[in-house]
Amino acid sequence: MSKLSRRLFLSGSTALTVVGVSQLMTSCGNNNNSNAPDNTSSPSATETTGEVNLYSSRHYNTDTELYEGFTQETGIKVNLVEGSADELIERINSEGENTQADILMTVDVARLWRAEEAGIFAPTSSAILEERIPASLRNPEGLWFGFTKRARVIMYNQDKVNPEELSTYEDLADPKWKGRIIVRPSSNIYNQSLVASLIEAHGEEQTEEWVKGFVANFARPPQSNDTGQIKDVAAGVGDLTLANTYYLARMAKDDDPAMQEVVEKVKIFFPNQDGRGAHVNISGAGVVKNAPNPENAVKFLEYLSTDTAQEFFAKGNNEYPVVEGVSVDPVLDSFGSFKADDTNIAAFGPNLADAVQVMNRGGWE
Ligand code: FE
């Protein structure tokens, strides 16, 4: 057991508070934090010397344990506010200068882009973050930083597809795949980010042609979610799909015999390995422009880039750490190593609106 996790599990007390959005408003209704709960009144509580308000759309128990580790290390109490990304963005936006949010954390660069467009983030400059987090996985102005990554890859039924037939995302528009592909709808943010990456690589016109060819190969109208696609690939509804790596990893860890059967059938193929690499996306976070505790916010983000936090945070959702050399979950490791597209994912944000239009025009429901 790592030093961090040992500390987390031995921790008998907690300084972490999970509060609802409205509750936070009542308890921290002003900017000087004078009415913040006094944590030192309990003799068993960790002594805290400040706080940080984390607005997050990630919900994993392991994340909570990780935040407790931060409090033990720094004395800074973490107040966690959970909600959907859109709810939190809306909330921070409408609170304006009076917001209590120090950090907004969410998944997928498309949502970080929405927050960026809403003017929520302040540029952060941190030598630690710049050194630890690869340049392609953070905003060039320091508006947000990726802390874990996932790849959106081809998952195929090994009874139906010879992996030698597979090569690139682009190749999935080839008529040889007619009636063999299933995928979730174009309203899904992961697909939008992937198409935004294709626009970055090929431009809008060529990407629209690709969408038309891809759609022509569908075995059924788009429906369901990534897990649904993987199960249906195993059941032979389609021969292959596009899905995020963590979904298959999660299923692989499920003892349910039905899940084990699915995982036996469905294999991963990392596309574009001879070219730009597989499409990756992130869970990421940035410091809020009107943060009441900006220094603590930066400390928290730096903490998330430490080796132990990286390992723990990535495991929470079966994702890859972003920091080089941090150990990867054994199930993910069993999928094999791969070359990731190292285009700065910040470039995909401005393509998102076009991506949605291109998908509509190309007939991707
Ligand atoms: Fe997901």
Side-chain angles (χ1 to χ4, degrees), residues 156-159 230-236 248 251-267:
Y156 64 95
N157 183 319
Q158 62 174 349
D159 299 338
I230 296 169
K231 285 181 182 166
D232 287 347
V233 163
L248 194 64
M251 292 165 100
K253 290 178 180 179
D254 194 321
D255 295 334
D256 180 350
M259 285 295 189
Q260 288 307 315
E261 255 176 64
V262 168
V263 172
E264 272 302 301
K265 280 237 152 79
V266 179
K267 299 299 162 202

Side-chain angles (χ1 to χ4, degrees), residues 72-83:
Q72 304 227 327
E73 200 157 282
T74 61
I76 298 166
K77 181 177 164 231
V78 180
N79 299 312
L80 177 63
V81 177
E82 295 186 323

Side-chain angles (χ1 to χ4, degrees), residues 139-196:
N139 176 277
E141 276 96 55
L143 295 176
W144 46 259
F145 300 83
F147 290 100
T148 58
K149 67 181 180 188
R150 67 279 294 279
R152 193 155 185 79
V153 298
I154 296 172
M155 296 193 193
Y156 64 95
N157 183 319
Q158 62 174 349
D159 299 338
K160 305 269 180 107
V161 176
N162 176 347
E164 282 172 14
E165 293 178 86
L166 295 164
S167 57
T168 60
Y169 299 103
E170 288 81 348
D171 175 67
L172 297 178
D174 188 288
K176 77 178 183 206
W177 298 111
K178 194 155 189 66
R180 302 175 71 186
I181 297 174
I182 58 173
V183 74
R184 68 196 286 184
S186 59
S187 56
N188 171 247
I189 207 162
Y190 307 143
N191 287 334
Q192 293 172 3
S193 289
L194 173 64
V195 172

Side-chain angles (χ1 to χ4, degrees), residues 282-332:
I282 54 167
S283 291
V287 177
V288 173
K289 189 173 61 188
N290 295 309
N293 308 292
E295 288 92 11
N296 292 350
V298 175
K299 273 186 203 157
F300 182 79
L301 297 187
E302 289 175 347
Y303 167 79
L304 286 183
S305 78
T306 61
D307 282 4
T308 37
Q310 275 286 298
E311 200 178 316
F312 211 79
F313 199 50
K315 261 190 189 133
N317 188 30
N318 298 301
E319 290 183 273
Y320 298 92
V322 294
V323 173
E324 207 55 50
V326 173
S327 79
V328 173
D329 179 276
V331 171
L332 283 182

Side-chain angles (χ1 to χ4, degrees), residues 60 107 111 150 152 184 188 190 226 244 246-247 250 317:
Y60 303 106
V107 295
R111 295 198 181 94
R150 67 279 294 279
R152 193 155 185 79
R184 68 196 286 184
N188 171 247
Y190 307 143
D226 278 23
N244 290 350
Y246 58 86
Y247 288 106
R250 189 186 297 167
N317 188 30

Side-chain angles (χ1 to χ4, degrees), residues 103-106 108-117 120-125 129-130 133-147 281-288 301 343-350 352:
I103 294 169
L104 175 67
M105 174 180 285
T106 186
D108 203 283
V109 70
R111 295 198 181 94
L112 292 164
W113 168 251
R114 273 181 212 160
E116 191 184 326
E117 279 284 275
I120 278 173
F121 292 127
T124 293
S125 134
L129 293 175
E130 280 149 34
I133 300 174
S136 64
L137 301 178
R138 53 183 161 86
N139 176 277
E141 276 96 55
L143 295 176
W144 46 259
F145 300 83
F147 290 100
N281 215 311
I282 54 167
S283 291
V287 177
V288 173
L301 297 187
T343 307
N344 190 317
I345 62 168
F348 304 154
L352 281 162

